[in-house]
């Protein structure tokens, strides 16, 4: 099943994809996940208005997560290209809800930075809450998966020891296009990831190509570690890190510019298509 959020006349609403139609399930996907499978079944049975699928109106697949927990340096190739080492335990940073964006939303290059970089990542969404979760049971807590685009403003990220500023510019974290429920993702540890850049003249190139099998810390280990210090709640998003091929790791470094289109794809989960634009005055 594919779940997400859709912009209607009444604001963002939780939806399910049925054929080529989106049916409304309620105001909040996070609340539906918190109610467990029974709540989702009830919402589907009583589903309301239908809408033709228009990707441009999709919001982040979970629009109101309590937490967005991101893992850094989780692919050895990426750590190496930036002159870093992988860590013995997951490297964690947080993103805010306001940094998220829909799967087709334009990303504005901030006027205060010219070092906007790309990172394609597998995202997992918590369904069943928990604390002190054992790794062998961790995937039982996952509601589903999607694609995350962890756009990073490198000059802000690297200005100090904390990454918060460079990872939290408004609208720099496209998430979606849908939450593909866990029962439809049989092998989350063997999914191909790709990132393409399409130039204004239509030419395109693949800048990231990898597989989730190459993660240093796999999702069960990540969930177990995160749950040592925080209660994982329904709707929480976990971004599992990016592989090699980012702009900062190139020689010379390469950064995004208005007019380009980012296409971020993960096998079986769909793709994000985000144009880069100039920030409005």
């Amino acid at each position: 099943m594919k779940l997400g959020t859709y912009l209607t006349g009444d604001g963002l609403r939780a939806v399910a994809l049925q054929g080529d139609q989106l049916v409304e399930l309620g105001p909040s996907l996070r609340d539906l996940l918190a109610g467990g499978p029974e709540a989702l079944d009830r919402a589907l049975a009583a589903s309301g208005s239908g809408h033709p699928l228009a990707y441009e109106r999709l919001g982040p697949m979970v629009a109101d997560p309590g937490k967005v927990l991101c893992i850094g340096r989780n692919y050895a190739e990426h750590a190496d290209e930036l002159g870093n080492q992988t860590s013995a335990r997951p490297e964690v940073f947080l993103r805010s809800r306001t940094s998220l964006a829909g799967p087709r939303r334009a990303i504005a290059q901030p006027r205060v930075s010219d070092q906007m970089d790309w990172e394609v990542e597998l995202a997992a969404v918590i369904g069943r809450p928990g604390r002190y979760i054992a790794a062998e049971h961790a995937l039982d807590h996952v509601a589903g998966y999607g694609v995350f685009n962890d756009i990073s403003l490198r000059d802000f990220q690297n200005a100090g020891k904390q990454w918060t500023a460079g990872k939290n510019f408004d609208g720099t974290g496209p998430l979606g296009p849908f939450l593909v429920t866990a029962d439809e993702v049989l092998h989350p540890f063997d999914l191909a990831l790709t990132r393409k850049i399409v130039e204004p003249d239509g030419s395109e190139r693949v800048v990231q190509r990898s597989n989730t099998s190459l993660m240093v810390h796999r999702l069960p280990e990540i969930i177990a570690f995160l749950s040592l210090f925080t209660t994982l709640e329904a709707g929480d998003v976990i971004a599992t890190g990016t592989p090699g091929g980012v702009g900062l790791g190139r020689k010379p470094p390469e950064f995004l510019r208005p007019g380009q289109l980012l296409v971020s794809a993960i096998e079986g989960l769909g793709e994000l298509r985000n144009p880069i634009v100039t920030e409005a005055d």
Side-chain angles (χ1 to χ4, degrees):
M1 185 184 307
K2 293 182 177 179
L3 306 171
T5 61
Y6 192 74
L7 182 61
T8 73
D10 297 319
L12 281 174
R13 304 281 292 180
V15 292
L17 181 63
Q18 295 186 344
D20 58 355
Q21 293 284 309
L22 298 171
V23 295
E24 289 190 28
L25 303 179
S28 170
L29 182 55
R30 180 181 67 169
D31 290 346
L32 279 177
L33 294 176
E38 297 81 7
L40 182 57
D41 288 343
R42 289 194 299 270
L44 286 166
S47 56
S49 303
H51 305 277
L53 174 58
Y55 280 93
E56 292 75 13
R57 297 181 68 86
L58 289 173
M61 63 184 190
V62 181
D64 57 346
K67 297 183 284 296
V68 182
L69 296 146
C70 304
I71 308 302
R73 302 173 183 171
N74 200 28
Y75 288 76
E77 183 185 16
H78 175 56
D80 182 65
E81 71 182 346
L82 299 186
N84 299 315
Q85 295 181 335
T86 58
S87 56
R89 63 183 187 180
E91 184 78 43
V92 184
F93 62 93
L94 288 167
R95 265 187 175 265
S96 65
R97 175 183 55 79
T98 55
S99 76
L100 300 180
R104 297 290 178 94
R105 178 173 165 176
I107 301 171
Q109 180 183 26
R111 67 193 72 175
V112 295
S113 174
D114 60 359
Q115 294 189 15
M116 191 160 69
D117 204 348
W118 59 83
E119 296 188 7
V120 60
E121 307 191 10
L122 172 69
V125 176
I126 295 296
R128 186 174 133 203
R131 181 84 192 277
Y132 296 114
I133 299 169
E136 57 264 33
H137 302 302
L139 294 188
D140 295 339
H141 293 259
V142 175
Y145 302 89
V147 186
F148 184 56
N149 189 350
D150 183 25
I151 297 293
S152 305
L153 283 299
R154 298 299 191 188
D155 44 356
F156 278 77
Q157 178 186 352
N158 296 325
K161 294 182 179 180
Q162 300 291 330
W163 297 355
T164 302
K167 295 287 190 175
N168 279 280
F169 275 70
D170 285 353
T172 58
L175 177 66
F178 292 100
L179 185 155
V180 181
T181 52
D183 61 298
E184 295 190 5
V185 185
L186 301 181
H187 302 290
F189 309 128
D190 187 19
L191 300 176
L193 306 91
T194 57
R195 158 62 52 75
K196 290 192 302 186
I197 295 179
V198 183
E199 300 293 346
D201 64 3
S203 62
E204 60 182 53
R205 57 204 164 98
V206 176
V207 292
Q208 287 184 285
R209 188 191 302 275
S210 191
N211 192 285
T212 58
S213 64
L214 298 177
M215 286 183 192
V216 175
H217 305 288
R218 289 193 171 190
L219 186 57
E221 179 186 352
I222 291 169
I223 290 173
F225 176 72
L226 295 174
S227 72
L228 293 178
F229 65 85
T230 188
T231 299
L232 295 178
E233 300 174 305
D236 285 353
V237 176
I238 300 172
T240 57
T242 196
V246 302
L248 184 62
R250 296 172 180 267
K251 302 188 187 313
E254 177 185 351
F255 299 109
L256 295 166
R257 61 185 186 275
Q260 293 177 318
L261 172 70
L262 281 179
V263 183
S264 317
I266 298 181
E267 178 184 0
L269 303 181
E271 66 179 24
L272 314 173
R273 300 179 66 87
N274 302 107
I276 307 302
V277 299
T278 300
E279 186 176 33
D281 293 332

